[in-house]
Amino acid sequence: YLYHFLKGVRKQYRMRDGSLGTLTPERIQKLESLPHWNWRIPTDSWNTMYEQYVQTQQGHHQYNNNTKKTTTTVTDATLLEWMHTQRVNAASGRNDSVFIERKKRLDAIGFDWEFNKTEQDWQRSYDRLKQYYQQHGHLYLASRGEDRLLFEWLCRQKRYYLIYQQQQNTTTTNSSTTTTSMTKQRAELLYEIGFKEYLTKPTRAKRWDDRFAQLEQHYKDTGQCKVVPWKSR
């Protein structure tokens, strides 16, 4: 989400012909007040995340010679999302030349393409989210810090839920091949802890302010305004 926010404000700042766009002077001033702010889009790549994954596996993996798969112990939220994205790409049948080459590289290091979506794992994350809801009365978790993994899990549930809803509202059988782990039972459990309220979109102005607050926090945590894009994961 934060990457797309940054991409959007850069588009609003300059039009394709080089003229000033629709971004207000107040927002321009806010962004430029951040140290190291740059209006140019950074060039993070898939290879960056791949190298990070390889480094993480060194000394922290178990390789099964029978299954030819690597059991990971990754805890970094950004890297976990990248790994999840690779699995989604494979499951959805992506077959362009770029992904085929990437898949070969991942196969060569024993990347596990199976989703780790057992009921036990889902229930454990749900119980943590329920506890958070009981303590705070909402599901607006911080994207960084001790709740970041739970935040990423909740974002995935939202994506799966939207896919699930789209599939439920489509009359044609097998009209969508997009993978989703959301079920009616899981959705009902999420409803019990304020999931419907979480799905309600705030006003556009509030969304912008929220994203800028996330960007400020991201800078405080990392010392930079650069965010890894989804397409590079």
Side-chain angles (χ1 to χ4, degrees):
Y1 295 132
L2 187 54
Y3 169 74
H4 291 296
F5 166 74
L6 292 176
K7 184 177 180 181
V9 297
R10 288 185 172 107
K11 274 187 176 181
Q12 293 168 1
Y13 176 66
R14 284 267 178 216
M15 306 300 287
R16 295 195 179 199
D17 59 4
S19 61
L20 285 175
T22 59
L23 199 62
T24 64
E26 180 186 2
R27 290 179 174 179
I28 291 174
Q29 185 178 6
K30 274 189 172 183
L31 291 163
E32 291 183 340
S33 69
L34 291 171
H36 307 300
W37 171 257
N38 195 326
W39 287 106
R40 291 182 293 117
I41 298 177
T43 56
D44 292 281
S45 67
W46 184 92
N47 289 326
T48 301
M49 298 304 298
Y50 173 83
E51 292 299 332
Q52 184 179 339
Y53 175 79
V54 172
Q55 292 175 9
T56 302
Q57 300 312 296
Q58 295 176 354
H60 296 84
H61 71 278
Q62 294 180 341
Y63 189 77
N64 189 315
N65 288 321
N66 295 324
T67 62
K68 306 298 181 184
K69 293 177 181 177
T70 301
T71 302
T72 69
T73 56
V74 178
T75 58
D76 180 77
T78 303
L79 186 55
L80 285 169
E81 275 295 332
W82 178 83
M83 293 164 61
H84 178 76
T85 300
Q86 309 317 304
R87 293 175 179 131
V88 169
N89 287 336
S92 62
R94 180 176 169 182
N95 60 358
D96 58 274
S97 58
V98 173
F99 181 70
I100 290 175
E101 180 60 32
R102 290 174 175 177
K103 189 174 185 303
K104 288 180 181 178
R105 293 175 63 185
L106 290 169
D107 284 338
I109 59 174
F111 185 80
D112 187 354
W113 293 99
E114 293 182 4
F115 288 94
N116 185 19
K117 295 296 181 187
T118 64
E119 285 300 320
Q120 185 177 6
D121 290 336
W122 192 93
Q123 190 64 44
R124 186 183 299 114
S125 295
Y126 172 80
D127 289 341
R128 287 184 58 207
L129 186 64
K130 183 177 181 180
Q131 183 179 11
Y132 180 93
Y133 178 76
Q134 290 172 341
Q135 291 176 350
H136 301 278
H138 61 78
L139 298 180
Y140 299 107
L141 296 94
S143 60
R144 301 190 67 84
E146 61 180 7
D147 293 323
R148 63 177 183 173
L149 290 179
L150 189 58
F151 170 82
E152 296 289 345
W153 181 84
L154 180 58
C155 289
R156 287 196 293 274
Q157 302 316 302
K158 179 180 179 180
R159 291 201 300 273
Y160 295 147
Y161 176 81
L162 294 176
I163 295 170
Y164 169 78
Q165 285 291 90
Q166 184 180 14
Q167 292 175 348
Q168 294 301 305
N169 295 331
T170 303
T171 56
T172 306
T173 305
N174 297 328
S175 59
S176 174
T177 58
T178 307
T179 302
T180 177
S181 62
M182 185 57 62
T183 64
K184 180 180 178 181
Q185 291 76 17
R186 289 182 176 183
E188 290 175 347
L189 285 172
L190 289 167
Y191 292 157
E192 294 177 2
I193 57 173
F195 190 66
K196 285 186 176 180
E197 292 80 359
Y198 167 76
L199 294 173
T200 303
K201 292 184 178 180
T203 63
R204 181 174 296 181
K206 186 178 185 303
R207 288 202 303 271
W208 198 96
D209 290 339
D210 289 346
R211 292 290 177 257
F212 181 76
Q214 289 181 10
L215 180 60
E216 285 185 308
Q217 186 62 46
H218 177 74
Y219 174 77
K220 290 178 182 178
D221 293 340
T222 66
Q224 60 182 5
C225 295
K226 188 166 57 175
V227 180
V228 177
W230 276 99
K231 290 184 179 179
S232 297
R233 298 177 182 175

